[in-house]
């Protein structure tokens, strides 16, 4: 199994899950825009996992696939409609709302045709991130995990997003619950192994 990633990206989420699972895999670091990688994944984005001649893409789908392939690890719902709903609800929020809100911050040139519109695009993205961070901040009040009462693929996915929060003009430390949550997870063995393999910590 190969996991394609670039450091600190949303590919950190499946990387963390693979560490939690104790899976055997090869992390493959790619450079954005590398034409060789476009031959693997024509969309040019990470994460992607190659296994058995098949390419798995889309973080949400990959994370659900990993959880479903390893049911004993209990990383998704417990099979009841409500627990599946809760996992899917938070995955949709993180992958469909929060992650895209960062797009104009990281790639503002894709969101404006005005040469002097870059800062505006970045600011607009940050305003949207703040809205979603406020929502998650309230949700995490008194909670250890985002979905249910045990760790799940949702927590793995939240970790890279919250790390990006440290780069914002209104940085993560202004959200006490989010900061404490991330700091807790950054002490987790599997999370540390994944961050180390991506060169994010020593
Ligand atoms: N819908 C995709 C989005 C993946 C995505 O945008 N990944 C970012 C890294 S976090 C990326 O590869 N960006 C490179 C680019 O947009 O060129 C998913 O959820 O997997």
């Amino acid at each position: 199994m190969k996991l394609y990633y670039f450091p600190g990206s949303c590919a950190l989420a499946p990387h963390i899950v693979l560490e939690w699972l104790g899976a055997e895999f090869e992390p493959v670091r790619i450079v954005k825009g590398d034409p060789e990688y476009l031959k693997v994944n024509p969309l040019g984005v990470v994460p992607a996992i190659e296994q058995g001649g098949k390419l798995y893409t889309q973080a949400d789908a990959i994370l659900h696939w990993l959880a479903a392939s390893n049911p004993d690890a209990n990383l998704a719902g417990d099979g009841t409609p409500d627990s599946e709903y809760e996992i899917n609800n938070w995955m949709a929020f993180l992958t469909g709302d929060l992650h895209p809100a960062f797009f104009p911050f990281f790639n503002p040139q894709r969101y404006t045709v005005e040469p002097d519109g870059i800062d505006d695009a970045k600011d607009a993205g940050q305003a949207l991130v703040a809205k979603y961070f406020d929502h998650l901040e309230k949700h995490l009040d008194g909670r250890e995990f985002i979905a249910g009462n045990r760790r799940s693929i949702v927590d793995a996915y939240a970790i890279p997003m919250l790390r990006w929060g440290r780069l914002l003009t209104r940085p993560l430390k202004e959200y006490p619950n989010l900061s404490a949550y991330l700091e807790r997870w950054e002490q987790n063995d599997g999370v540390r192994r994944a961050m180390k393999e991506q060169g994010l910590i020593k």
Side-chain angles (χ1 to χ4, degrees):
M1 179 188 279
K2 283 183 181 172
L3 167 70
Y4 294 93
Y5 77 97
F6 48 80
S9 69
C10 56
L12 185 60
H15 202 150
I16 288 168
V17 168
L18 288 167
E19 291 296 340
W20 284 345
L21 294 171
E24 273 192 28
F25 67 103
E26 180 194 347
V28 181
R29 182 175 176 160
I30 62 128
V31 176
K32 253 191 209 179
D34 179 353
E36 285 307 305
Y37 182 59
L38 291 177
K39 290 182 197 160
V40 177
N41 180 4
L43 291 178
V45 297
V46 294
I49 288 181
E50 212 170 35
Q51 193 194 37
K54 184 168 172 184
L55 190 73
Y56 296 81
T57 62
Q58 299 296 340
D60 188 359
I62 288 174
L63 291 170
H64 273 100
W65 168 67
L66 289 173
S69 306
N70 299 275
D72 292 347
N74 290 324
L75 290 173
D78 61 12
T80 60
D82 272 30
S83 80
E84 296 303 329
Y85 162 79
E86 194 176 2
I87 293 282
N88 285 320
N89 177 277
W90 284 107
M91 286 301 282
F93 170 75
L94 293 176
T95 64
D97 293 334
L98 182 58
H99 184 290
F102 276 98
F103 287 158
F105 179 69
F106 286 126
N107 292 296
Q109 75 287 355
R110 292 178 182 167
Y111 294 86
T112 179
V113 289
E114 304 295 335
D116 58 358
I118 295 292
D119 287 345
D120 277 355
K122 284 180 106 164
D123 289 350
Q126 294 204 63
L128 205 48
V129 171
K131 171 181 159 178
Y132 297 134
F133 271 9
D134 281 336
H135 178 67
L136 197 53
E137 171 73 11
K138 282 196 194 90
H139 175 71
L140 276 177
D141 205 24
R143 290 176 153 270
E144 193 176 343
F145 307 102
I146 295 180
N149 55 8
R150 56 178 161 78
R151 80 174 177 187
S152 71
I153 52 175
V154 175
D155 298 300
Y157 193 85
I159 293 166
M161 309 292 109
L162 296 180
R163 293 187 78 257
W164 300 343
R166 290 179 174 142
L167 307 172
L168 301 173
T169 311
R170 182 182 162 197
L172 194 76
K173 62 178 185 228
E174 294 194 12
Y175 304 83
N177 294 329
L178 297 185
S179 282
Y181 170 90
L182 180 59
E183 280 167 23
R184 261 195 328 271
W185 277 117
E186 284 180 329
Q187 301 308 315
N188 174 269
D189 284 348
V191 174
R192 287 186 65 79
R193 278 197 301 277
M195 291 201 302
K196 208 168 170 177
E197 277 170 0
Q198 294 203 359
L200 302 171
I201 55 169
K202 291 211 172 138

